[in-house]
Amino acid sequence: MTVLATERLVLRKLTTDDAGFYLRLVNEPSWLQFIGDKGIRTVEAARSALLNGPMAMYESHGFGFYMVELKDSATPIGMCGLIKRESLPDVDIGYAFMPDFWGKGYACEAASAVLAFGHKTCGLQRIVAITAPDNQQSIRLLEKIGLQFEGLLELKGDGEKTKLFARQF
């Protein structure tokens, strides 16, 4: 089900049929470095993660992570969407793309559309984002779409700091 369309992209709800792609994405070295190891090693584990994560969030909040596909070929290239984490008071925007599709403006295009959707359709007055302090590509993207650095957080109680960005509408 298509949620958003941009000039070059379609963002649609994830389904369990996307488990193979999700498995590849969450085991990409960049995901492991900047987001963390989810311990998902099989297609079945990926299906379960989709059911209990994004698909459950669609039901509970009306939004979640979406599959990002190229409009002209329906090629899956990444995920982008909104998430409500227990560890944050605000809804945050997140994204991850396969490395072959970096540097082409797709993440910015998708994230800009999701940000507008969050504000205009979901009525959110504040959207935040978190990123690893050394993830310079993500930091540049967040700033490009209008989020501003607010400070460092410790989300997991393990001493590791995460950068918090926010945009007020």
Side-chain angles (χ1 to χ4, degrees), residues 1 9 16 20 23 30 42 52 60 69 73-74 77 81 89 91-92 100 114 116 121 124 135-136 138 158-160 162:
M1 176 187 162
L9 306 171
T16 55
L23 177 65
S30 57
T42 65
N52 296 314
S60 63
E69 297 175 333
S73 65
I77 65 170
V91 171
D92 76 289
D100 288 351
V114 166
T121 305
L124 300 172
N135 190 344
Q136 293 305 315
S138 188
D158 59 4
E160 284 196 39
T162 300

Side-chain angles (χ1 to χ4, degrees), residues 62-139:
F63 54 73
F65 279 114
Y66 305 112
M67 174 68 80
V68 179
E69 297 175 333
L70 297 177
K71 189 182 266 185
D72 61 355
S73 65
T75 301
I77 65 170
M79 295 186 331
C80 185
L82 299 169
I83 184 171
K84 179 61 188 102
R85 302 175 200 268
E86 289 181 21
S87 58
L88 292 172
D90 299 294
V91 171
D92 76 289
I93 186 169
Y95 43 81
F97 288 80
M98 296 300 275
D100 288 351
F101 300 95
W102 292 1
K104 297 173 175 36
Y106 296 131
C108 186
E109 191 173 325
S112 293
V114 166
L115 205 59
F117 171 79
H119 175 59
K120 293 176 183 168
T121 305
C122 301
L124 300 172
Q125 296 304 307
R126 178 177 156 89
I127 297 175
V128 302
I130 55 174
T131 188
D134 60 340
N135 190 344
Q136 293 305 315
Q137 284 180 296
S138 188
I139 291 167

Side-chain angles (χ1 to χ4, degrees), residues 18-85:
D18 297 314
F21 176 82
Y22 186 71
L23 177 65
R24 288 191 308 276
L25 185 62
V26 301
N27 286 292
E28 269 296 316
S30 57
W31 178 292
L32 297 171
Q33 178 185 358
F34 294 120
I35 299 172
D37 190 346
K38 303 269 186 213
I40 298 170
R41 303 289 183 260
T42 65
V43 171
E44 193 51 48
R47 267 191 207 99
S48 179
L50 288 169
L51 278 168
N52 296 314
M55 295 172 70
M57 194 155 292
Y58 302 149
E59 293 299 315
S60 63
H61 290 85
F63 54 73
F65 279 114
Y66 305 112
M67 174 68 80
V68 179
E69 297 175 333
L70 297 177
K71 189 182 266 185
D72 61 355
S73 65
T75 301
I77 65 170
M79 295 186 331
C80 185
L82 299 169
I83 184 171
K84 179 61 188 102
R85 302 175 200 268

Side-chain angles (χ1 to χ4, degrees), residues 85 87-93 126-133 139 142-143 147-155 161-167:
R85 302 175 200 268
S87 58
L88 292 172
D90 299 294
V91 171
D92 76 289
I93 186 169
R126 178 177 156 89
I127 297 175
V128 302
I130 55 174
T131 188
I139 291 167
L142 293 172
E143 291 172 341
L147 280 81
Q148 296 180 329
F149 177 70
E150 285 199 342
L152 293 170
L153 299 175
E154 184 180 331
L155 295 176
K161 299 291 184 183
T162 300
K163 282 192 168 185
L164 175 70
F165 290 78
R167 178 159 175 194

